[in-house]
Amino acid sequence: MMARPLTAKKHNTDQPKEPKPQRRTIWHVYKAVPPRFRILLGMGFMGFSMVGMWASDKIETMYPPPVENRVTHITHGSAAQSEDPSKRDKPDSH
């Protein structure tokens, strides 16, 4: 009896290939979430932000900045530091 030669199995090419999954943007993922969960997620982010702002204010009152870094007067959007004015950088006069 003669042995059969080893051959690779043929894949069935009659069946259509599955399409590759499309990459979804974060907006599509967000829109796929149920509306109630989106509302809760938004409220969670707002709550987290409020707690962070509250905590930063509490920490700032517990540990105030050094005197040399405190803002003493604000004029036209620029902060004048409570330091010796003679030590400030002077603009070049060309």
Side-chain angles (χ1 to χ4, degrees):
M1 199 173 198
M2 191 170 186
R4 290 177 34 191
L6 297 175
T7 58
K9 289 186 177 181
K10 292 185 179 181
H11 294 290
N12 190 356
T13 56
D14 296 338
Q15 295 177 355
K17 293 183 179 179
E18 292 184 24
K20 291 184 178 179
Q22 293 181 347
R23 296 189 66 162
R24 294 171 35 173
T25 63
I26 192 79
W27 179 252
H28 289 115
V29 172
Y30 176 75
K31 291 299 282 185
V33 173
R36 180 176 177 186
F37 185 75
R38 288 194 308 234
I39 290 171
L40 292 174
L41 188 66
M43 291 175 68
F45 281 130
M46 286 189 284
F48 181 76
S49 301
M50 290 172 62
V51 167
M53 290 171 52
W54 173 81
S56 68
D57 285 344
K58 288 291 182 184
I59 292 171
E60 190 174 4
T61 57
M62 290 170 47
Y63 302 103
V67 176
E68 62 268 5
N69 291 342
R70 288 188 190 161
V71 175
T72 57
H73 185 67
I74 298 176
T75 58
H76 303 289
S78 64
Q81 300 289 331
S82 62
E83 63 182 22
D84 187 12
S86 64
K87 294 181 181 177
R88 291 188 185 158
D89 293 333
K90 294 182 181 179
D92 294 333
S93 57
H94 290 262

